[in-house]
Amino acid sequence: MTADCAAGLPLDWGCTDLHPKVLRGVLGSYPTGVAIVATRCPDGRRVGLTINSFASLSLDPPLVLWSLVNHSPNLAAFRDCSHFTISVLACGQEELALRFASSAVPDKFAGAPVHDVPEGVPAIAGAVATLVCANDQQSPAGDHLLLFGRVLRVASVAATPLVFHAGRFTALTAA
């Protein structure tokens, strides 16, 4: 990181050091929700991972999107699945977020509060919101694959969502 970027004092306007570490730091200043996306492979194996790259896209038709890095070992499972769920995590579900984010955990679903939705894919119980999606379309974008889900059904509970900001979990507070 250059001294000008570190000090927040650009020579002209803005920092032009776009090294991934610099970008990660800047993008980390944007608070995001934390979710687990999950699917089931044709052989019955459940696959899930933590994401914060989730966004609403369209109300008519109901579409959401999320992204997955191209070198993910789970890329084929999500690229080829017919359905997936997005479970927006609640405060208190930090351990689940960490478990599903870790490549060192062999069975992320072991002991997790999970139930299957009618489409046969797993969802996280106790989530603030769950969206069941058909794998509608995909588009390569830089070093990621964008996955567009057509929302088929939703469920939600009154709870405080888990938030990720500046490299740590936090929560929204009432004003």
Short mmCIF file of all heavy atoms in Angstrom, two decimals, residues 160-161 171-175:
data_model
loop_
_atom_site.label_atom_id
_atom_site.label_comp_id
_atom_site.label_asym_id
_atom_site.label_seq_id
_atom_site.Cartn_x
_atom_site.Cartn_y
_atom_site.Cartn_z
N THR A 160 -32.48 -10.48 14.81
CA THR A 160 -31.46 -9.52 14.39
C THR A 160 -30.47 -10.22 13.47
O THR A 160 -29.92 -11.27 13.82
CB THR A 160 -30.71 -8.97 15.63
OG1 THR A 160 -31.67 -8.38 16.50
CG2 THR A 160 -29.67 -7.95 15.24
N PRO A 161 -30.22 -9.65 12.28
CA PRO A 161 -29.30 -10.31 11.35
C PRO A 161 -27.84 -10.16 11.78
O PRO A 161 -27.46 -9.18 12.42
CB PRO A 161 -29.55 -9.57 10.03
CG PRO A 161 -30.04 -8.23 10.44
CD PRO A 161 -30.81 -8.44 11.72
N ALA A 171 -23.45 -6.58 14.76
CA ALA A 171 -24.91 -6.60 14.63
C ALA A 171 -25.41 -5.19 14.43
O ALA A 171 -24.73 -4.21 14.77
CB ALA A 171 -25.54 -7.20 15.88
N LEU A 172 -26.58 -5.09 13.88
CA LEU A 172 -27.25 -3.80 13.77
C LEU A 172 -27.76 -3.41 15.15
O LEU A 172 -28.20 -4.25 15.92
CB LEU A 172 -28.43 -3.89 12.80
CG LEU A 172 -28.08 -4.28 11.37
CD1 LEU A 172 -29.36 -4.48 10.56
CD2 LEU A 172 -27.20 -3.22 10.72
N THR A 173 -27.71 -2.15 15.44
CA THR A 173 -28.27 -1.67 16.70
C THR A 173 -29.40 -0.70 16.41
O THR A 173 -29.37 0.01 15.40
CB THR A 173 -27.21 -0.96 17.57
OG1 THR A 173 -26.64 0.13 16.81
CG2 THR A 173 -26.10 -1.92 17.96
N ALA A 174 -30.40 -0.70 17.27
CA ALA A 174 -31.54 0.20 17.08
C ALA A 174 -31.08 1.64 17.30
O ALA A 174 -30.29 1.93 18.19
CB ALA A 174 -32.66 -0.16 18.07
N ALA A 175 -31.61 2.52 16.49
CA ALA A 175 -31.23 3.94 16.60
C ALA A 175 -31.93 4.61 17.76
O ALA A 175 -32.94 4.24 18.22
CB ALA A 175 -31.57 4.66 15.29
#
